[in-house]
């Protein structure tokens, strides 16, 4: 997934959300894809542990076994908290 594809997926999910549970809640990223493409989208270091790594204020979970995709808040559950509004690209 390229940064442009990720931004498009976030924007589409946000636009299609009929309630807060359908808004973007967590971005899961495969480790190699994070290193090669998406890490540059994260501006600077996390401010707090609760902030974690974020892209457009959506929490990012990087892992070797992750599939790169965007989960809704309902799908992410506690893993995406604390939830914030999607920042503009």
């Amino acid at each position: 997934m390229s940064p442009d594809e990720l931004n498009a997926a976030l924007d589409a999910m946000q636009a299609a959300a009929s309630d807060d549970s359908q808004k973007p809640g967590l971005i899961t990223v495969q480790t190699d894809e994070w290193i090669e493409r998406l890490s540059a989208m994260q501006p600077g270091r996390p401010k707090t542990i609760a902030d974690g790594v974020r892209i457009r204020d959506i929490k990012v979970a990087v892992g070797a076994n992750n599939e790169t995709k965007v989960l809704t808040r309902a799908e992410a559950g506690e893993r995406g908290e604390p939830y914030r509004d999607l920042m503009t690209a």
Side-chain angles (χ1 to χ4, degrees):
M1 180 178 286
S2 72
D4 288 340
E5 291 169 329
L6 176 57
N7 279 319
L10 289 168
D11 291 336
M13 184 178 285
Q14 181 75 15
S18 58
D19 60 49
D20 283 351
S21 71
Q22 297 305 305
K23 290 180 180 180
L26 180 69
I27 302 165
T28 59
V29 181
Q30 199 281 333
T31 305
D32 290 338
E33 193 155 18
W34 176 254
I35 293 167
E36 294 171 13
R37 295 184 185 181
L38 299 176
S39 63
M41 292 180 71
Q42 199 273 332
R45 297 173 51 177
K47 295 177 185 140
T48 68
I49 291 173
D51 281 340
V53 174
R54 290 183 177 265
I55 293 175
R56 295 183 59 191
D57 240 355
I58 306 300
K59 193 174 271 191
V60 178
V62 180
N65 295 322
N66 284 352
E67 179 183 341
T68 302
K69 61 184 177 180
V70 180
L71 303 176
T72 65
R73 291 178 180 188
E75 294 168 325
E78 293 179 5
R79 295 188 310 155
E81 293 180 348
Y83 293 116
R84 303 207 178 116
D85 290 332
L86 180 67
M87 294 176 58
T88 57

